[in-house]
Short mmCIF file of all heavy atoms in Angstrom, two decimals:
data_model
loop_
_atom_site.label_atom_id
_atom_site.label_comp_id
_atom_site.label_asym_id
_atom_site.label_seq_id
_atom_site.Cartn_x
_atom_site.Cartn_y
_atom_site.Cartn_z
N ALA A 54 91.77 24.10 157.46
CA ALA A 54 91.97 22.74 156.92
C ALA A 54 92.49 22.73 155.51
O ALA A 54 93.18 21.80 155.08
CB ALA A 54 90.64 21.97 156.98
N THR A 65 101.60 21.41 166.70
CA THR A 65 100.85 22.22 167.65
C THR A 65 99.77 21.45 168.41
O THR A 65 99.08 22.03 169.23
CB THR A 65 100.18 23.40 166.93
OG1 THR A 65 99.29 22.89 165.95
CG2 THR A 65 101.21 24.31 166.28
N SER A 72 86.29 18.90 168.70
CA SER A 72 87.22 18.31 169.67
C SER A 72 86.53 17.87 170.94
O SER A 72 87.08 17.04 171.69
CB SER A 72 88.37 19.29 170.00
OG SER A 72 87.83 20.45 170.66
N LYS A 111 110.02 7.81 182.08
CA LYS A 111 109.18 7.27 183.14
C LYS A 111 109.76 7.59 184.51
O LYS A 111 109.02 8.00 185.44
CB LYS A 111 109.09 5.74 182.99
CG LYS A 111 108.15 5.23 181.92
CD LYS A 111 108.13 3.71 181.95
CE LYS A 111 107.19 3.14 180.89
NZ LYS A 111 107.20 1.66 180.92
N ILE A 152 105.33 14.08 171.88
CA ILE A 152 105.82 14.77 170.68
C ILE A 152 104.78 15.72 170.12
O ILE A 152 105.10 16.79 169.58
CB ILE A 152 106.27 13.75 169.61
CG1 ILE A 152 107.24 14.42 168.62
CG2 ILE A 152 105.11 13.13 168.88
CD1 ILE A 152 108.60 14.68 169.19
N THR A 163 108.69 12.87 160.35
CA THR A 163 108.75 12.63 158.90
C THR A 163 107.65 11.68 158.39
O THR A 163 107.51 11.48 157.21
CB THR A 163 110.12 12.07 158.51
OG1 THR A 163 110.42 10.93 159.33
CG2 THR A 163 111.23 13.11 158.70
N ALA A 177 73.09 18.20 161.33
CA ALA A 177 72.19 19.39 161.37
C ALA A 177 72.96 20.50 162.05
O ALA A 177 73.77 20.27 162.95
CB ALA A 177 70.93 19.07 162.13
N ALA A 215 82.13 39.94 158.70
CA ALA A 215 81.59 38.93 157.78
C ALA A 215 80.55 39.54 156.85
O ALA A 215 80.34 39.00 155.74
CB ALA A 215 80.96 37.79 158.57
N PHE A 239 76.88 28.62 166.85
CA PHE A 239 76.70 27.65 165.76
C PHE A 239 76.84 26.24 166.39
O PHE A 239 77.94 25.88 166.87
CB PHE A 239 77.75 27.84 164.68
CG PHE A 239 77.55 29.09 163.87
CD1 PHE A 239 77.80 30.34 164.42
CD2 PHE A 239 77.14 29.02 162.55
CE1 PHE A 239 77.61 31.50 163.71
CE2 PHE A 239 76.96 30.18 161.81
CZ PHE A 239 77.20 31.43 162.39
N GLN A 276 74.23 24.36 152.55
CA GLN A 276 74.01 25.55 153.37
C GLN A 276 74.80 25.48 154.69
O GLN A 276 75.34 26.50 155.15
CB GLN A 276 72.51 25.71 153.67
CG GLN A 276 71.68 26.08 152.46
CD GLN A 276 70.24 26.40 152.80
OE1 GLN A 276 69.81 26.22 153.95
NE2 GLN A 276 69.49 26.88 151.84
N TRP A 281 79.22 27.61 158.00
CA TRP A 281 80.44 27.38 158.77
C TRP A 281 81.58 28.22 158.23
O TRP A 281 82.55 28.49 158.94
CB TRP A 281 80.83 25.90 158.72
CG TRP A 281 80.24 25.07 159.81
CD1 TRP A 281 79.46 23.95 159.65
CD2 TRP A 281 80.31 25.29 161.22
NE1 TRP A 281 79.08 23.47 160.89
CE2 TRP A 281 79.59 24.25 161.87
CE3 TRP A 281 80.95 26.26 162.03
CZ2 TRP A 281 79.47 24.15 163.25
CZ3 TRP A 281 80.81 26.15 163.42
CH2 TRP A 281 80.10 25.13 164.02
N ALA A 348 93.67 44.58 169.19
CA ALA A 348 94.13 45.33 168.01
C ALA A 348 95.27 46.26 168.39
O ALA A 348 95.16 47.06 169.30
CB ALA A 348 92.98 46.13 167.42
N GLN A 441 108.04 46.07 162.81
CA GLN A 441 109.30 46.79 162.96
C GLN A 441 109.97 47.00 161.60
O GLN A 441 110.63 48.02 161.38
CB GLN A 441 110.25 46.02 163.88
CG GLN A 441 109.78 46.01 165.33
CD GLN A 441 110.63 45.09 166.17
OE1 GLN A 441 110.26 43.92 166.39
NE2 GLN A 441 111.76 45.54 166.65
N THR A 482 101.81 25.80 140.69
CA THR A 482 103.25 25.86 140.91
C THR A 482 103.65 25.29 142.26
O THR A 482 104.77 24.81 142.44
CB THR A 482 103.78 27.29 140.85
OG1 THR A 482 103.19 28.06 141.91
CG2 THR A 482 103.45 27.96 139.50
N LYS A 516 112.99 43.45 141.16
CA LYS A 516 113.04 42.35 140.17
C LYS A 516 112.35 41.09 140.75
O LYS A 516 111.59 40.40 140.06
CB LYS A 516 114.51 42.03 139.84
CG LYS A 516 114.68 40.89 138.84
CD LYS A 516 114.11 41.25 137.48
CE LYS A 516 114.53 40.27 136.39
NZ LYS A 516 114.07 38.89 136.63
N ASP A 517 112.60 40.82 142.05
CA ASP A 517 111.94 39.67 142.69
C ASP A 517 110.42 39.81 142.66
O ASP A 517 109.68 38.88 142.36
CB ASP A 517 112.42 39.50 144.12
CG ASP A 517 113.85 38.99 144.20
OD1 ASP A 517 114.33 38.40 143.20
OD2 ASP A 517 114.48 39.18 145.25
N MET A 572 93.47 46.94 119.18
CA MET A 572 93.88 46.10 118.04
C MET A 572 92.76 45.18 117.57
O MET A 572 92.67 44.89 116.38
CB MET A 572 95.11 45.26 118.46
CG MET A 572 96.34 46.10 118.73
SD MET A 572 97.61 45.12 119.55
CE MET A 572 97.85 43.81 118.39
N SER A 592 101.96 33.96 115.76
CA SER A 592 101.97 34.85 116.93
C SER A 592 102.97 34.41 117.99
O SER A 592 103.37 35.20 118.84
CB SER A 592 100.56 34.93 117.55
OG SER A 592 100.09 33.63 117.90
N VAL A 636 70.70 50.05 127.69
CA VAL A 636 71.93 50.33 126.98
C VAL A 636 72.94 49.20 127.25
O VAL A 636 73.20 48.87 128.40
CB VAL A 636 72.54 51.67 127.42
CG1 VAL A 636 73.80 51.97 126.63
CG2 VAL A 636 71.52 52.80 127.23
N GLY A 731 76.35 55.91 138.59
CA GLY A 731 75.43 54.79 138.51
C GLY A 731 76.16 53.47 138.47
O GLY A 731 77.39 53.42 138.44
#
Side-chain angles (χ1 to χ4, degrees):
T65 59
S72 64
K111 282 183 180 179
I152 201 72
T163 52
F239 290 69
Q276 290 187 353
W281 271 125
Q441 291 171 265
T482 64
K516 180 65 168 62
D517 288 339
M572 295 167 57
S592 57
V636 181

